[in-house]
Amino acid sequence: MADNQEKSLTLSQGEVNALKKAIMYLKFSCEETESVMYAGSPLINSVFSKLLVIDDLGEYTIDFFKKRHPENERFVLTKLDKLELENGRKFESEVKENSFRECLYPFSRK
């Protein structure tokens, strides 16, 4: 069975909210540097995008995430800096920028 085969799942609005909150915690509250692997995951970002589409708040929620959130930007950057210190080496600038962008998702960095 292929990993990219589409599956169907029915969720209540409460379950949608719970999953969104768990992902937001992982991305913007969890200080464990190992969480970067998940916070920047394209698969988790894809799930979050799908949750936004089916959320009862719809466009309101999507518009909220189109705005910059400097506090979240600082949090993600601090976590990436901490990860560099723990690993004893700096990321290449392109790798760090890509990781930052993926971890910051769904927020925009305009």
Side-chain angles (χ1 to χ4, degrees):
M1 190 176 286
D3 285 342
N4 61 354
Q5 181 181 358
E6 291 288 319
K7 303 285 184 171
S8 180
L9 174 67
T10 302
L11 300 172
S12 70
Q13 182 60 41
E15 291 167 328
V16 169
N17 291 342
L19 285 171
K20 284 177 26 191
K21 286 178 182 179
I23 293 170
M24 294 296 285
Y25 170 80
L26 174 72
K27 288 176 161 287
F28 306 114
S29 296
C30 181
E31 294 183 8
E32 293 294 323
T33 54
E34 290 180 6
S35 70
V36 168
M37 175 175 36
Y38 304 105
S41 165
L43 295 174
I44 289 177
N45 286 344
S46 176
V47 168
F48 197 85
S49 292
K50 291 174 182 179
L51 290 170
L52 292 178
V53 169
I54 64 170
D55 190 340
D56 282 350
L57 296 175
E59 286 300 315
Y60 173 79
T61 303
I62 292 169
D63 287 343
F64 173 78
F65 289 118
K66 288 180 181 175
K67 299 177 182 131
R68 282 191 71 187
H69 288 263
E71 183 177 321
N72 288 340
E73 291 177 21
R74 281 189 296 277
F75 181 83
V76 169
L77 191 56
T78 298
K79 190 160 45 170
L80 290 172
D81 289 344
K82 184 178 172 186
L83 184 58
E84 286 178 324
L85 285 172
E86 288 176 5
N87 290 337
R89 60 186 171 91
K90 296 247 183 216
F91 292 113
E92 293 179 25
S93 61
E94 186 177 322
V95 170
K96 190 169 186 176
E97 179 61 33
N98 187 48
S99 295
F100 176 78
R101 188 173 46 263
E102 293 295 328
C103 287
L104 188 62
Y105 182 84
F107 290 105
S108 177
R109 188 179 183 210
K110 294 179 183 175

